[in-house]
Amino acid sequence: MADPAATPDDIFRQAQILIECGRWGEAAEAAATGLAGSPGEVRFVVPLAQAALADPRLQPLVTRACSGSGSSSAGRVPERAPAVGRLFAPQRLPFYSTLDAAHPGSVGMVSSLGAGWDVWMPTALPADWPAAVAPLLRLAAPLVDRLTTLSPLVDRAAAARYVGQRVLTLLADDGGAVLDFLPNAPMTLGQRHWVLWYDVLPVLFQPFLPFDAMCVNPRLCPYHAIIGAFLASDRCAAIITHYRLDDNPLLRLFPDRRIAAKLAFVNPLETDAPSGGRADGSAACPASGRPFRLLFTSSWNARDDDFFYRGGIDVVTAFLTLAQEFEDVELILRSPLPATLSPALRQAITGHPRIIWRPDRLPAGEFQDLVAGSDLFVMPMCVLYRNGLVQAMKAGIVPVVANAMGVDDLVTDGVTGCVIPGRGGFYTVGGEDGILRQDFHPLLQATDAPADPAFHAALVERLRMLLRDRPQVRRMGNAARSEAHRRWSHAEHTARFAEVMTGAMDKAVRAAASSRGDKMADSADRWLQIST
């Protein structure tokens, strides 16, 4: 256990493994060691809290570990006096960093509310957060018992893991807000009313289940029961989705009328105005005589895995083939290169005269120019990345994508873009068994050549056809632009988002007003109330 050469990452991973093994005392000791060596690293609170919630006899260890971590305050609990109408937006806080919560899509949604909203968006936890850990654990402890009553699947270990992970949300200074806006995952214990904006379902189950290979069987998974209860709870005021409502993947996984009643469709709203094109949807004319450009772009978050999830291997190898046939084709690769990429492909990317490699995150205006100067948006992804796809379509750039879940609602094959079949099985939800399945291992392991030769051949042939028929590209680009501006007007969805948030805020304000003077109103006994 005590390895003087162990790094903070080593210690944290060891604590996580011990938690998964149910070795609570050893996990707490490892977490306490990590916190002592790295007093400012709040991540060590998670295994410490999980262990103490699973085995309350470890509570004194939590108190000792946190009292020695640099805080001079004693027993601080964050102030929660309601500030009427204030919205808490925690996406820039450290405990949200692994869930991509500070993406421009979510930050842009909050920014779109305008100056009339009182938004509290802190970027760091209070300096004296260690002093709050022990008392807040005692406050949250009844919720562990409450979760074990939801289903026979939820034992104390699963409940403790869930509450211990989310207890970080109690450490934040909420500014007295009465409503939370939570992107991607329900990072809450229900201490306030909240609105969830979800992108892809597997993120709801993070970090409890691995993202790259996940199976959520409602009949076997305790976290399905827990998350479903939070989504159905009274304090979940709304759930914002960019998937169509008549066949929403959330409802395939959670077929609950209470959850269905909260769903609202809103297209993501970027921090900046939509890239490319003009506000009225008319064309932004490309410069005559310029090369024919394929654009591949990675996520704003720029993790290695995103390159593979988005089909980067297929795009690069397809370009290398087509560049031998078409002298005027270029590839703009707006993405860092993953560490596991083969040396041969790395050399091909960095050394090819017609690959414009932009590894770094670009300012919004420069990225918009990059999009507007392209002809094809090539992203044969295994999961829908809606932001970039809609941006490209609004700019009149023809999308060439795979048949990932939700793509059919955005792109009509042969009309507004090209949809290559063969990737719909990497991420599925529902069906006869109602199971969420996601397995990206084949793509992550294909670091030198495409994972699926048949899919790759179809992609290359479709790109070849487009390169040979430039008038067809222009026609599809115009159709894509017209469709995107008609269906996903920035002004319309800004208003729609404001309407959803106003309704949620009204509900939260009424609840805050009715609970004043009720000493039990802010206790964990009330955080997970579910009306029938």
Side-chain angles (χ1 to χ4, degrees):
M1 290 287 293
D3 181 356
T7 67
D9 286 345
D10 294 333
I11 298 171
F12 182 68
R13 185 62 188 137
Q14 181 186 51
Q16 287 182 309
I17 293 170
L18 290 167
I19 287 291
E20 290 304 313
C21 295
R23 293 162 63 177
W24 311 116
E26 293 170 272
E29 290 286 356
T33 298
L35 192 58
S38 304
E41 292 204 32
V42 73
R43 60 176 172 167
F44 288 107
V45 169
V46 172
L48 197 61
Q50 290 171 327
L53 289 168
D55 184 352
R57 293 173 299 178
L58 297 171
Q59 181 75 30
L61 177 57
V62 174
T63 303
R64 290 196 303 272
C66 293
S67 64
S69 60
S71 171
S72 58
S73 301
R76 185 191 69 87
V77 176
E79 177 61 41
R80 301 191 191 183
V84 176
R86 175 166 287 179
L87 177 68
F88 181 46
Q91 49 260 62
R92 296 190 186 277
L93 289 173
F95 60 75
Y96 238 151
S97 62
T98 59
L99 298 176
D100 304 339
H103 189 282
S106 64
V107 175
M109 295 182 90
V110 174
S111 300
S112 76
L113 292 171
W117 277 72
D118 181 4
V119 177
W120 180 257
M121 187 182 287
T123 58
L125 295 175
D128 61 345
W129 63 260
V133 173
L136 287 176
L137 270 185
R138 289 191 290 271
L139 180 69
L143 192 56
V144 175
D145 296 326
R146 172 74 174 89
L147 294 182
T148 61
T149 68
L150 296 174
S151 163
L153 297 173
V154 183
D155 59 11
R156 187 170 187 86
R161 290 188 188 107
Y162 192 88
V163 176
Q165 177 68 39
R166 301 299 195 233
V167 82
L168 295 182
T169 68
L170 300 178
L171 297 177
D173 176 6
D174 60 20
V178 295
L179 179 70
D180 295 1
F181 176 66
L182 305 177
N184 297 340
M187 286 294 290
T188 179
L189 290 175
Q191 61 267 34
R192 288 172 297 278
H193 281 74
W194 49 282
V195 173
L196 172 69
W197 170 52
Y198 90 89
D199 186 4
V200 291
L201 284 180
V203 179
L204 299 184
F205 296 90
Q206 291 215 278
F208 311 104
L209 301 175
F211 184 79
D212 54 350
M214 182 180 294
C215 179
V216 179
N217 186 333
R219 291 178 292 279
L220 297 175
C221 179
Y223 301 111
H224 179 274
I226 293 172
I227 292 169
F230 274 96
L231 295 176
S233 69
D234 296 350
R235 290 200 173 181
C236 175
I239 302 170
I240 295 171
T241 177
H242 58 67
Y243 293 93
R244 66 182 188 229
L245 298 181
D246 60 350
D247 185 26
N248 197 275
L250 183 71
L251 297 182
R252 286 185 241 153
L253 189 61
F254 298 101
D256 187 313
R257 60 174 177 77
R258 293 164 298 193
I259 296 174
K262 301 175 185 184
L263 276 179
F265 176 82
V266 180
N267 193 63
L269 304 169
E270 292 287 348
T271 307
D272 302 283
S275 63
R278 297 188 177 96
D280 62 0
S282 61
C285 297
S288 60
R290 67 161 172 77
F292 189 93
R293 292 187 177 127
L294 316 183
L295 172 64
F296 172 86
T297 178
S298 187
S299 172
W300 174 87
N301 301 292
R303 290 190 303 265
D304 277 7
D305 290 354
D306 284 328
F307 182 85
F308 297 106
Y309 297 159
R310 292 171 179 246
I313 294 290
D314 285 281
V315 174
V316 171
T317 52
F319 169 80
L320 294 175
T321 297
L322 295 168
Q324 299 177 51
E325 305 174 28
F326 301 90
E327 294 183 354
D328 67 335
V329 65
E330 291 183 347
L331 171 63
I332 302 175
L333 194 70
R334 212 309 298 155
S335 173
L337 301 183
T340 57
L341 188 69
S342 73
L345 276 185
R346 186 179 299 273
Q347 177 59 38
I349 291 168
T350 57
H352 199 289
R354 284 187 278 149
I355 294 181
I356 302 168
W357 180 40
R358 304 296 301 273
D360 299 323
R361 189 181 297 167
L362 300 177
E366 191 173 345
F367 179 72
Q368 291 172 11
D369 291 342
L370 202 67
V371 174
S374 302
D375 298 279
L376 301 179
F377 179 77
V378 189
M379 189 175 291
M381 66 280 202
C382 54
V383 62
L384 176 62
Y385 292 93
R386 186 184 181 99
N387 285 352
L389 180 52
V390 170
Q391 283 184 354
M393 293 177 70
K394 283 188 172 183
I397 311 307
V398 177
V400 181
V401 294
N403 63 329
M405 184 195 306
V407 164
D408 60 340
D409 189 42
L410 279 75
V411 182
T412 302
D413 186 38
V415 180
T416 58
C418 299
V419 181
I420 316 299
R423 295 229 152 131
F426 284 95
Y427 166 44
T428 61
V429 182
E432 293 182 1
D433 55 13
I435 295 176
L436 182 157
R437 293 182 175 88
Q438 179 166 282
D439 186 0
F440 296 153
H441 280 171
L443 296 178
L444 295 173
Q445 293 164 358
T447 61
D448 188 51
D452 182 346
F455 173 85
H456 182 72
L459 172 66
V460 172
E461 184 56 30
R462 199 67 183 271
L463 290 171
R464 183 181 288 119
M465 292 172 60
L466 294 172
L467 285 163
R468 287 173 177 166
D469 191 352
R470 310 293 173 89
Q472 173 69 358
V473 172
R474 286 192 291 273
R475 286 192 294 272
M476 285 199 292
N478 287 331
R481 181 188 300 109
S482 176
E483 178 79 350
H485 281 274
R486 181 183 68 83
R487 294 182 62 193
W488 307 305
S489 158
H490 196 268
E492 177 186 344
H493 285 267
T494 297
R496 189 176 293 184
F497 177 64
E499 181 181 0
V500 173
M501 294 301 294
T502 298
M505 180 61 76
D506 288 346
K507 180 177 180 179
V509 169
R510 288 195 304 270
S514 65
S515 66
R516 286 173 184 165
D518 181 354
K519 295 181 180 180
M520 292 298 294
D522 201 32
S523 72
D525 294 328
R526 300 280 294 272
W527 292 352
L528 194 58
Q529 286 190 336
I530 305 174
S531 298
T532 57

